[in-house]
Amino acid sequence: MHALSRTAGTLVIVLTFADAFATTLVVGAGGGPLTRRLMGLLWRLLLRLFGGGRAPKLLGGAGAAILVTTVVIWVALLWAGWSLILLGGHGAVVDARTGVAADWAEIVYYAGFTIFTLGVGDYVAAGQPWRFLTAVSGFSGLFLVTLAITYLISVVAAVVNRRAVAVRIHALGTSAAGIVHGGWTGATFSSAFVQHLVSVTEQLSVVAEQHLAYPALHYFHSRNATTSSPIAVARLDDAMLLLRTAVEPGARPDDSVTWPVQAAVERYVSTVAMTSATPHDPPVPPLPDLEALTASGVPTVEEASFRAGTHATAERRRTLHRLVLADGRDWDAVG
C-alpha cells in the first residue's frame, strides 16, 4: 500500500510538470493535454452561461479566470503528489517537539507548507532520505510557482498585443468594403494604405505565433468588438478577398502586398483553430458586400466573376466563422 501511494504521487508530480512544461515552454504544442482540455471545457461552460451578449462583462473576465484556475490546479496536483509520496513513507514526518509520527492530515499540511517554502517548522522529516525529498519538494514548488507567474505576465502582454492589432485593423475600416474604400484614392490605392497592410502582416504573424505559445490567449474575450481579434481578422480576410477577386485587375494592389496579408491570416486561422472551443462547424458566412464597394466608386468585376473567385476560400471563411462564434459573437459584427 505504501509503495502504491509513493508510485501514484510520483506519477502525479511527473504528469503535472509535463503538462506545465508543454503549456509554458513548448512553443507549438498548443498547451499540455490537461490544460488544453480544461481550458476548452471551462470556456464552453462560460460561453453557454454568458455568451450571446447575455453578460459581456462576466465573459470578459473569463480568460483571466481560466488562466488562474489552470495555475491553481497545477499547484493542487503538485501538493497532492507530494502528499501521496509522504503518506507512503511510514513515519516520514514527525512532530518537531514530541517526535510522534504525523497523521495523514498533518502530512498533507506539511507537504503544503514545504512546496510553498513557508518553513513553519512544527513538523519535520524523519530520516535523511525524507529530508532530501523535502528539499526537492520545496524546489519543485518554488519552480512551478515561478514558472506560472512568468507565464501569467507573458500572457497578459500577449493579450495587450492582440488587442492592439485588432484596433489597428478596425481603424482601417468598420467593414471589409470600408477597408478597401478607405485605401482608394479615386485612381489607385494609396501608398499609405499599402504600408498599413505591410505593417499589419507582420503584427498579425506575431499574434498567430503567440496563440501557439500561449493557448490561454484564445479565451480572453474583448467586451468591445473594436478590440476583438477574431472580428478584426475576419474583416481583414474579407477585405483581402475583395481586393484580390472583386476589384478590377488593373486597379488591384500588387500581389506582393495582398498575398503576405493572406498568408498571415491563414497562419492565424490554423493556429487559433487549434485552441478554439466551438464544437461544431457553422455554415460558410455570407460574402462581403460587393454592391457597397461598387457604390463607393471602386472599380469592380461582375458579380458572377466575383463569386467564382471565392469558391476556394469557403473552408477558411467557415473556420473564421467558427472562431468568431467561439469568441461569443455573431458574424454580423464583422460588417
Side-chain angles (χ1 to χ4, degrees):
M1 187 66 181
H2 293 303
L4 181 61
S5 179
R6 293 193 297 270
T7 301
T10 302
L11 184 60
V12 169
I13 293 172
V14 170
L15 292 178
T16 300
F17 272 103
D19 188 80
F21 286 158
T23 302
T24 61
L25 300 179
V26 181
V27 178
L34 173 62
T35 297
R36 194 164 54 244
R37 289 171 174 79
L38 174 65
M39 287 182 174
L41 177 63
L42 290 175
W43 177 250
R44 284 192 293 270
L45 176 62
L46 293 171
L47 197 60
R48 182 174 299 179
L49 293 174
F50 309 123
R54 288 186 292 273
K57 290 185 178 180
L58 293 176
L59 194 62
I66 291 172
L67 191 59
V68 171
T69 299
T70 301
V71 173
V72 169
I73 288 177
W74 286 343
V75 173
L77 287 174
L78 184 66
W79 189 347
W82 281 112
S83 297
L84 287 171
I85 289 176
L86 293 172
L87 286 168
H90 181 68
V93 179
V94 298
D95 190 301
R97 294 166 299 178
T98 65
V100 176
D103 60 25
W104 71 269
E106 293 164 340
I107 288 176
V108 172
Y109 160 72
Y110 174 81
F113 81 61
T114 299
I115 65 171
F116 290 119
T117 63
L118 297 177
V120 177
D122 46 353
Y123 291 91
V124 296
Q128 193 60 34
W130 296 111
R131 293 192 186 100
F132 174 76
L133 285 178
T134 296
V136 173
S137 69
F139 173 77
S140 69
L142 179 63
F143 184 84
L144 183 65
V145 171
T146 303
L147 184 69
I149 292 174
T150 304
Y151 181 68
L152 291 174
I153 295 172
S154 299
V155 171
V156 171
V159 170
V160 172
N161 181 59
R162 189 181 75 155
R163 290 166 63 92
V165 173
V167 169
R168 181 158 192 174
I169 294 173
H170 180 81
L172 295 176
T174 56
S175 67
I179 291 176
V180 176
H181 176 250
W184 181 250
T185 64
T188 185
F189 287 96
S190 69
S191 58
F193 176 69
V194 170
Q195 186 57 44
H196 279 304
L197 294 182
V198 172
S199 178
V200 165
T201 301
E202 179 182 357
Q203 295 173 333
L204 188 57
S205 298
V206 172
V207 171
E209 297 310 309
Q210 285 177 329
H211 270 278
L212 281 181
Y214 312 119
L217 190 59
H218 178 74
Y219 305 110
F220 280 80
H221 173 82
S222 297
R223 300 175 187 176
N224 193 324
T226 305
T227 55
S228 170
S229 181
I231 293 294
V233 175
R235 186 178 296 160
L236 181 64
D237 182 67
D238 273 359
M240 293 304 101
L241 187 62
L242 289 174
L243 282 173
R244 291 186 294 104
T245 60
V247 176
E248 284 188 354
R252 295 172 187 171
D254 192 82
D255 285 347
S256 63
V257 175
T258 56
W259 278 114
V261 178
Q262 192 61 65
V265 169
E266 290 177 354
R267 179 60 177 170
Y268 174 91
V269 170
S270 64
T271 56
V272 178
M274 290 179 60
T275 56
S276 175
T278 302
H280 63 278
D281 279 329
V284 178
L287 292 171
D289 192 354
L290 181 60
E291 291 184 2
L293 186 62
T294 304
S296 68
V298 179
T300 59
V301 299
E302 296 293 330
E303 178 81 21
S305 177
F306 169 57
R307 291 187 175 277
T310 63
H311 291 322
T313 67
E315 285 307 311
R316 184 182 71 250
R317 299 185 73 249
R318 187 198 304 274
T319 304
L320 279 166
H321 192 185
R322 179 160 62 91
L323 297 180
V324 169
L325 293 176
D327 194 45
R329 305 182 189 277
D330 295 323
W331 188 263
D332 291 343
V334 175

